[in-house]
Structure formats: C-alpha cells, structure tokens
Amino acid sequence: MTRPLEGIKIIDFTHVQAGPACTQLLAWFGADVIKVERPGSGDVTRTQLRDIPNVDALYFTMLNSNKKSLTLDTKKPEGKEVLEKLIRESDVMVENFGPGALDRMGFPWEHIKELNPKMILASVKGFSDGHHYDDLKVYENVAQCAGGSASTTGFWDGPPTISAAALGDSNTGMHLAIGILTALIGRDKTGKGQKVAVSMQDSVLNLCRVKLRDQQRLDRLGYLEEYPQYPHGEFSDVVPRGGNAGGGGQPGWVLKCKGWETDPNAYIYFTIQGHAWAPICKAIGKPEWIDDPKYNTAQARQPHIFDIFATIETWLADKTKFEAVDILRKFDIPCAPVLTMKELANDPSLRESGTITEVQHKERGPYLTVGSPIKFSDMKPEITASPLLGEHTDEVLASLGYSSEQISKLHDAQAV
Ligand code: COA
C-alpha cells in the first residue's frame, strides 16, 4: 500500500499540541517526519501529566506517533550546522515556537529560503503577523477566548466557557496541514516554496463563523429566533451564550434519560428538525401535536420549545440513552447518546474503523490513541508508536552524511 506523502521530508520543529497534531497527521499519510528536540528534555509534553514514572506521557505519545526523534541543540553552532543541512534536504519545516524564537535562533524565513528555495515553512502563532497581539504566547484556552468561542459557549447566566475540544490547538494544526498540502501542490506548479502561517485566533474564529453570522443578524433584527432567549428573554447587542441550543435551524437540547440522577452522562441530544416533526410526535406518543396549530410549524413551536422538551423528557424517563436512540433512529430523528470517554474507548465500531487504536510503545506497553479520522478507499493509515527522545538521532545524522566519529563528537558537544 503506497502512502501518498511518501518521499516528503518534514522537519518537525513543533511542541505541545498545535504543531505536533499537524505533523502527526502528515506522518500517518506517509511523510518522513523528523521531530527536532532539545537534548535532555525534548518536547515538554514528554513529562507533562505523566501516569507512569520516567515514561513518556500520553500527552506526548498521542500527538507524536509515526515520527522520528532527532535531538539537536539548535542554538549551538554544531546543531545549527545540522539544521542547515536538514533544511537543504527537506520539503517542509513546521514550527510553533513563541513569536520571534525562530528568528532569534538564526533561522528567519529569508535565511531558510536562501538555504532551500523549495522549502515550505509552516508556522503556528497565537495571533497573525501584524495583529496588535502578535507578541503574545498563546495556549489553547487563550485562543478560545480570543477567537470568539468562549463568549458564545456556555449558559447565559454563567461565565464564558471553554470547550473541551482542542479548537485552538489541534484545530489550528489541521488548518496548517491543509496549508502545507496546498503549498506542496503550488510548488509542483511553480517550483518555489513559500511560508504558510496559521494563527490560533483565526482558526478558532473560522469554526465560529456561524456566530459572526448571528452577530450580523442580531445587528439587523435585534433578536435571534433560534436562541433560548427568544421570545421570552432579552437580547443585548452581542451574540449571547445559547446553552445547548442548536446552532442552525434545528432546535435541539440535551435531555435527561433514565438514570440521570446518578449518572452525569445519562442524556441524549435531541433535535427537533422541521421535517421530523410528525415522526417525533408519533415516537413520543403525541400524534395529536402533528396538526395542532400550536405546534405544527417551527415558529409556532418556538415560544414553548422548553415545554416540548419537558414532554420528551417525561417520555425518556424510563429509557436509557441507548434505548432511546434505538427507538428514535427508527423514526429518522437526528439524535445521539452523550458518550463518555470510557464508552468511546470501548466502542467496537470505533475500534473496527481504526478511529480508536491500540499502539505498542517500547517503554509504556500498549496505549490507546485516536487514529486517522480521515478514511481513504485505497489506504488505511497504520499508527505506530511515538519515538523515544533522540531515538533516531544517529540514523538521521548518518543519512545526512555524518561519519560515526562526527556523530559521537556531536553527542559530546550537545551533552547536557
Ligand atoms: N535547541 C535549542 N533551543 C531550542 C530548541 C532546540 N532544539 N527548541 C526550542 N528552543 C528554544 C527556542 O529557540 C526558544 O528560545 P528563546 O525564547 O530564547 O528564543 C525557547 O526554546 C522557548 O521557545 P517557546 O516556543 O517560546 O517556548 P515557551 O515554552 O516559552 O512557550 C508556547 C510555549 C506554546 C506558549 C509558545 O511556543 C507559543 O506561543 N507558540 C505559538 C502558539 C502555539 O503553538 N501555542 C501552543 C499550542 S499547543
């Protein structure tokens, strides 16, 4: 099975999550990804939130599979020389250092371009170049606040809320991967590399574009008909937090199922989609609602949408979330159980598709990771373990033409 990115060599100068998520994806699809790490310590996630003493943390192993690890002190002349050689021989360099770090290291874009005009330099920063906050270092939750997610997530009577989904980190990495692949196709046409930059703020905002839609509707109309605030509550001049309301034209809510009193996840998400109204009425034993003018249009339902949800909850009271979905799916009603991480980890369908996959690590043994969410008809990405710190240093140096004597001198020069 050939993997489409075989032959593409990537210098992975990334750390934490945003950059590593991008390069991991490219490694799954066949790219030769060489992770450059500081001798002695490496990527900080190797030691963050460890569950086994002296073994790479899951934070690292789950974001760095299928890569090689090269330890290199790129602030020392010997390390810089190796990095220059690598740049001459590679297709892409990915980095997500703090603002200006690459320049301070002596590798501004102008220099990289001189060394290799075909090089694609891909960078993640918190804010885009020239933004009034472009000097800030940024982590996930900072980006969610800066990108409009926090102000629009949560309940109206609570504070701005962070999503557990890595909208700032992995999402930005995915945007960067699209940018890299686009630049690679562009290079095939022009023969030239280019710099690709993605900011975490922009990537979060891109996922929040329907909230910018809502801001403009609110400016014009003064209300948003699909929000729980309509028609009984108040709107200010900014998009409010809508709790668990559906973001489009389908009102929905998280509803209690049997056992919710003791199980914090005994819920389903229930969507009242317009065309599903008649099946919903039949499913919940309210056939008289189908043609009742109080209920038979979306507009008619909205003023008492929470009464409708309360009636559905009464129907759900003697059904588990799985039983409820099994009934509702027969009526073609869009819904899903609220699944826990434990349920997802053990889901046979996810194991079968490779979305949850078990990997063998040299030191930790087996662990679970999320495999490729992208499925191909002609390729099933094989997920291999993350590398130990410096595991491939000698191999990479030898491939760059270093003799064993030069390699051991380099080790001495970089000893920590
Ligand atoms: N050899 C020598 N020095 C190295 C090195 C290596 N192999 N790898 C990194 N360094 C140096 C850098 O050159 C930098 O040095 P300098 O600050 O003296 O110029 C230093 O390590 C620290 O880099 P920095 O990226 O600023 O780390 P940090 O721990 O202070 O900040 C972040 C971490 C994530 C906040 C910051 O990198 C950042 O804002 N990145 C951009 C946005 C981002 O990706 N956020 C994280 C998403 S998960």
Side-chain angles (χ1 to χ4, degrees):
M1 186 166 53
T2 49
R3 294 173 303 159
L5 298 188
E6 260 164 31
I8 301 290
K9 194 162 171 175
I10 299 184
I11 304 170
D12 180 11
F13 224 169
T14 70
H15 62 163
V16 204
Q17 184 173 167
C22 166
T23 48
Q24 173 172 262
L25 186 88
L26 301 173
W28 289 341
F29 304 157
D32 181 13
V33 175
I34 301 167
K35 186 165 173 103
V36 178
E37 296 181 85
R38 213 195 303 244
S41 51
D43 188 326
V44 68
T45 58
R46 285 189 184 269
T47 53
Q48 270 177 350
L49 309 174
R50 271 184 171 162
D51 56 324
I52 307 176
N54 304 319
V55 170
D56 286 336
L58 287 163
Y59 197 6
F60 180 83
T61 63
M62 292 177 75
L63 284 157
N64 291 284
S65 58
N66 298 54
K67 301 181 185 178
K68 293 175 181 160
S69 167
L70 162 72
T71 43
L72 210 57
D73 187 333
T74 51
K75 283 189 173 165
K76 290 194 171 152
E78 302 82 357
K80 284 187 200 293
E81 189 191 297
V82 176
L83 185 58
E84 290 200 350
K85 279 198 168 137
L86 261 179
I87 290 173
R88 284 200 183 89
E89 295 199 357
S90 299
D91 301 282
V92 183
M93 177 154 126
V94 190
E95 65 91 22
N96 68 320
F97 292 126
L102 206 56
D103 297 357
R104 290 194 292 278
M105 204 187 273
F107 290 92
W109 169 227
E110 291 67 32
H111 181 44
I112 293 171
K113 211 165 43 173
E114 255 166 37
L115 292 169
N116 180 356
K118 294 184 85 178
M119 173 61 84
I120 290 157
L121 172 64
S123 293
V124 168
K125 296 287 167 270
F127 294 88
S128 59
D129 258 359
H131 188 283
H132 56 274
Y133 285 150
D134 72 0
D135 56 327
L136 283 177
K137 289 188 173 182
V138 169
Y139 285 106
E140 172 69 55
N141 295 354
V142 179
Q144 289 198 25
C145 290
S149 174
S151 72
T152 52
T153 302
F155 283 81
W156 46 91
D157 53 356
T161 303
I162 298 301
S163 165
L167 305 176
D169 285 344
S170 280
N171 168 43
T172 306
M174 298 306 105
H175 278 81
L176 193 68
I178 295 167
I180 291 169
L181 296 173
T182 305
L184 280 168
I185 293 172
R187 191 181 74 171
D188 283 347
K189 294 179 179 158
T190 64
K192 273 172 45 189
Q194 61 179 307
K195 185 175 170 183
V196 180
V198 180
S199 89
M200 295 168 75
Q201 181 190 39
D202 294 357
S203 301
V204 173
L205 182 55
N206 189 29
L207 295 200
C208 291
R209 65 175 52 226
V210 296
K211 297 297 173 181
L212 185 58
R213 172 201 69 189
D214 293 348
Q215 185 60 54
Q216 296 173 83
R217 291 169 57 225
L218 183 66
D219 291 344
R220 191 179 302 275
L221 303 170
Y223 64 90
L224 296 165
E225 70 211 37
E226 75 282 25
Y227 280 62
Q229 291 81 349
Y230 180 83
H232 308 298
E234 297 272 304
F235 285 91
S236 74
D237 62 350
V238 300
V239 174
R241 290 186 272 287
N244 289 318
Q250 308 86 29
W253 205 254
V254 170
L255 301 182
K256 291 170 187 153
C257 294
K258 183 177 163 188
W260 67 271
E261 298 88 342
T262 49
D263 175 357
N265 294 296
Y267 290 82
I268 60 168
Y269 197 88
F270 193 103
T271 303
I272 302 183
Q273 204 178 14
H275 80 261
W277 180 242
I280 290 168
C281 297
K282 286 181 197 154
I284 63 168
K286 288 279 179 195
E288 67 276 18
W289 279 2
I290 297 176
D291 296 317
D292 185 336
K294 206 173 145 201
Y295 296 99
N296 65 357
T297 65
Q299 220 175 3
R301 290 190 286 274
Q302 190 61 29
H304 37 260
I305 195 83
F306 282 98
D307 298 334
I308 297 173
F309 290 142
T311 304
I312 300 171
E313 275 189 341
T314 309
W315 177 78
L316 289 166
D318 62 350
K319 298 165 190 74
T320 67
K321 58 185 176 183
F322 298 111
E323 288 165 353
V325 170
D326 276 342
I327 296 170
L328 296 170
R329 70 199 297 190
K330 295 194 184 98
F331 290 86
D332 230 3
I333 296 167
C335 62
V338 171
L339 295 174
T340 65
M341 277 300 141
K342 200 178 179 99
E343 286 160 348
L344 290 163
N346 296 314
D347 185 318
S349 298
L350 294 180
R351 293 295 185 104
E352 180 60 28
S353 69
T355 297
I356 299 279
T357 185
E358 190 173 285
V359 178
Q360 283 294 331
H361 184 268
K362 275 188 180 156
E363 292 181 342
R364 90 169 15 254
Y367 66 95
L368 290 184
T369 194
V370 183
S372 174
I374 305 170
K375 314 295 182 198
F376 300 88
S377 63
D378 287 352
M379 168 182 77
K380 186 163 183 183
E382 188 200 342
I383 314 298
T384 60
S386 60
L388 301 178
L389 180 62
E391 185 176 340
H392 305 92
T393 303
D394 292 2
E395 178 191 319
V396 175
L397 292 174
S399 75
L400 291 173
Y402 284 84
S403 66
S404 21
E405 199 183 327
Q406 286 170 316
I407 293 173
S408 77
K409 267 195 189 154
L410 238 163
H411 281 302
D412 293 344
Q414 300 201 103
V416 282

